[in-house]
Amino acid sequence: MHMTQKTPAELRADAEAALKPLGQKRIKLLAQLEALEVELRPLILQAISMEVPYRRINELTAVSPNTARAWNKAADST
């Protein structure tokens, strides 16, 4: 039996098809994360103003201390 080899275009199409389902899922999750951060940011800023340590904020939210500091600095400059 003779097997035909796929063309480079067919191989690229296969690779794209393999990426698409998980890629779409990731895109949706990132959009959800963005929406969640809009709600979370003021709560984190309030926690910072109440002197909750950045490390504790990270433990509770998985928002990095650097991100929380950047948000706080941006809020201070407005």
Side-chain angles (χ1 to χ4, degrees):
M1 173 162 43
H2 179 49
M3 302 233 348
T4 59
Q5 289 189 340
K6 290 188 175 187
T7 67
E10 290 171 325
L11 292 170
R12 278 192 297 276
D14 288 349
E16 285 187 24
L19 286 173
K20 190 172 183 177
L22 287 178
Q24 291 298 311
K25 186 175 182 179
R26 184 175 188 274
I27 289 167
K28 287 177 186 169
L29 287 170
L30 287 171
Q32 290 175 359
L33 181 60
E34 256 184 59
L36 184 66
E37 285 182 351
V38 168
E39 294 180 54
L40 190 57
R41 185 184 287 222
L43 299 176
I44 287 177
L45 295 177
Q46 181 182 16
I48 292 168
S49 72
M50 295 297 122
E51 300 182 1
V52 176
Y54 287 102
R55 181 182 205 153
R56 183 65 179 145
I57 291 168
N58 173 250
E59 290 170 355
L60 293 170
T61 65
V63 171
S64 76
N66 285 342
T67 297
R69 282 187 193 95
W71 289 354
N72 192 41
K73 186 176 180 183
D76 285 347
S77 67
T78 56

